[in-house]
mmCIF file of all heavy atoms in Angstrom:
data_model
loop_
_atom_site.group_PDB
_atom_site.id
_atom_site.type_symbol
_atom_site.label_atom_id
_atom_site.label_comp_id
_atom_site.label_asym_id
_atom_site.label_seq_id
_atom_site.Cartn_x
_atom_site.Cartn_y
_atom_site.Cartn_z
ATOM 1 N N PRO A 75 18.475 18.629 34.634
ATOM 2 C CA PRO A 75 17.696 19.698 35.300
ATOM 3 C C PRO A 75 17.060 20.592 34.267
ATOM 4 O O PRO A 75 17.761 20.962 33.249
ATOM 5 C CB PRO A 75 18.723 20.363 36.167
ATOM 6 C CG PRO A 75 19.938 19.588 36.201
ATOM 7 C CD PRO A 75 19.847 18.509 35.099
ATOM 8 N N GLN A 76 15.934 21.057 34.521
ATOM 9 C CA GLN A 76 15.354 22.088 33.627
ATOM 10 C C GLN A 76 14.588 23.157 34.429
ATOM 11 O O GLN A 76 14.125 22.840 35.605
ATOM 12 C CB GLN A 76 14.508 21.445 32.624
ATOM 13 C CG GLN A 76 13.209 20.867 33.121
ATOM 14 C CD GLN A 76 12.370 20.344 32.041
ATOM 15 O OE1 GLN A 76 12.915 19.848 30.967
ATOM 16 N NE2 GLN A 76 11.114 20.306 32.235
ATOM 17 N N GLY A 77 14.503 24.420 34.015
ATOM 18 C CA GLY A 77 13.893 25.288 34.637
ATOM 19 C C GLY A 77 14.473 26.687 34.574
ATOM 20 O O GLY A 77 15.137 26.853 33.568
ATOM 21 N N SER A 78 14.319 27.586 35.534
ATOM 22 C CA SER A 78 14.924 28.913 35.397
ATOM 23 C C SER A 78 16.202 28.936 36.225
ATOM 24 O O SER A 78 16.127 28.864 37.462
ATOM 25 C CB SER A 78 13.891 29.933 35.932
ATOM 26 O OG SER A 78 14.476 31.281 35.917
ATOM 27 N N PHE A 79 17.399 28.969 35.527
ATOM 28 C CA PHE A 79 18.676 29.043 36.204
ATOM 29 C C PHE A 79 19.016 30.481 36.412
ATOM 30 O O PHE A 79 18.849 31.352 35.473
ATOM 31 C CB PHE A 79 19.691 28.381 35.375
ATOM 32 C CG PHE A 79 19.516 26.875 35.265
ATOM 33 C CD1 PHE A 79 18.779 26.364 34.316
ATOM 34 C CD2 PHE A 79 20.282 26.028 36.097
ATOM 35 C CE1 PHE A 79 18.674 24.969 34.105
ATOM 36 C CE2 PHE A 79 20.109 24.666 35.994
ATOM 37 C CZ PHE A 79 19.295 24.183 35.029
ATOM 38 N N ALA A 80 19.354 30.847 37.541
ATOM 39 C CA ALA A 80 19.775 32.234 37.884
ATOM 40 C C ALA A 80 21.249 32.255 38.478
ATOM 41 O O ALA A 80 21.610 31.286 39.132
ATOM 42 C CB ALA A 80 18.910 32.766 39.042
ATOM 43 N N THR A 125 23.701 29.909 40.309
ATOM 44 C CA THR A 125 23.746 29.595 41.859
ATOM 45 C C THR A 125 22.356 29.098 42.238
ATOM 46 O O THR A 125 22.190 28.606 43.341
ATOM 47 C CB THR A 125 24.042 30.808 42.602
ATOM 48 O OG1 THR A 125 23.178 31.912 42.294
ATOM 49 C CG2 THR A 125 25.550 31.119 42.371
ATOM 50 N N ARG A 126 21.377 29.198 41.306
ATOM 51 C CA ARG A 126 19.951 28.864 41.710
ATOM 52 C C ARG A 126 19.126 28.186 40.532
ATOM 53 O O ARG A 126 19.564 28.386 39.400
ATOM 54 C CB ARG A 126 19.174 30.126 42.055
ATOM 55 C CG ARG A 126 19.720 30.826 43.196
ATOM 56 C CD ARG A 126 18.857 31.881 43.611
ATOM 57 N NE ARG A 126 19.491 32.964 44.452
ATOM 58 C CZ ARG A 126 18.731 33.837 45.143
ATOM 59 N NH1 ARG A 126 17.403 33.811 45.143
ATOM 60 N NH2 ARG A 126 19.262 34.788 45.784
ATOM 61 N N LEU A 127 18.290 27.416 40.877
ATOM 62 C CA LEU A 127 17.397 26.840 39.897
ATOM 63 C C LEU A 127 15.887 27.058 40.447
ATOM 64 O O LEU A 127 15.585 26.769 41.580
ATOM 65 C CB LEU A 127 17.600 25.304 39.815
ATOM 66 C CG LEU A 127 16.714 24.593 38.891
ATOM 67 C CD1 LEU A 127 16.692 25.156 37.473
ATOM 68 C CD2 LEU A 127 16.994 23.105 38.865
ATOM 69 N N ASP A 128 15.126 27.646 39.657
ATOM 70 C CA ASP A 128 13.642 28.037 39.979
ATOM 71 C C ASP A 128 13.677 28.833 41.345
ATOM 72 O O ASP A 128 12.705 28.718 42.189
ATOM 73 C CB ASP A 128 12.781 26.758 40.068
ATOM 74 C CG ASP A 128 12.603 26.209 38.691
ATOM 75 O OD1 ASP A 128 12.689 26.924 37.679
ATOM 76 O OD2 ASP A 128 12.347 25.025 38.658
ATOM 77 N N GLY A 129 14.666 29.702 41.480
ATOM 78 C CA GLY A 129 14.739 30.607 42.687
ATOM 79 C C GLY A 129 15.342 30.008 43.895
ATOM 80 O O GLY A 129 15.723 30.642 44.747
ATOM 81 N N ASP A 130 15.539 28.675 43.855
ATOM 82 C CA ASP A 130 16.086 27.988 45.162
ATOM 83 C C ASP A 130 17.493 27.780 44.852
ATOM 84 O O ASP A 130 18.032 27.486 43.821
ATOM 85 C CB ASP A 130 15.426 26.618 45.292
ATOM 86 C CG ASP A 130 14.086 26.708 45.685
ATOM 87 O OD1 ASP A 130 13.646 27.627 46.334
ATOM 88 O OD2 ASP A 130 13.184 25.869 45.234
ATOM 89 N N PRO A 131 18.336 27.904 45.941
ATOM 90 C CA PRO A 131 19.928 27.690 45.894
ATOM 91 C C PRO A 131 20.170 26.315 45.313
ATOM 92 O O PRO A 131 19.530 25.312 45.764
ATOM 93 C CB PRO A 131 20.304 27.835 47.227
ATOM 94 C CG PRO A 131 19.262 28.612 48.044
ATOM 95 C CD PRO A 131 17.964 28.199 47.311
ATOM 96 N N LEU A 132 21.152 26.364 44.360
ATOM 97 C CA LEU A 132 21.526 24.970 43.951
ATOM 98 C C LEU A 132 22.282 24.221 45.043
ATOM 99 O O LEU A 132 23.137 24.798 45.732
ATOM 100 C CB LEU A 132 22.496 25.151 42.698
ATOM 101 C CG LEU A 132 21.825 25.397 41.373
ATOM 102 C CD1 LEU A 132 22.888 25.882 40.351
ATOM 103 C CD2 LEU A 132 21.107 24.285 40.904
ATOM 104 N N GLU A 136 21.969 18.638 43.593
ATOM 105 C CA GLU A 136 21.296 19.207 42.417
ATOM 106 C C GLU A 136 22.327 19.847 41.433
ATOM 107 O O GLU A 136 21.944 20.795 40.876
ATOM 108 C CB GLU A 136 20.307 20.133 42.876
ATOM 109 C CG GLU A 136 19.175 19.629 43.883
ATOM 110 C CD GLU A 136 18.441 20.828 44.391
ATOM 111 O OE1 GLU A 136 19.051 21.919 44.751
ATOM 112 O OE2 GLU A 136 17.296 20.601 44.596
#
Side-chain angles (χ1 to χ4, degrees):
Q76 68 181 29
S78 180
F79 291 86
T125 55
R126 302 193 200 189
L127 177 57
D128 294 331
D130 295 326
L132 285 169
E136 303 166 319

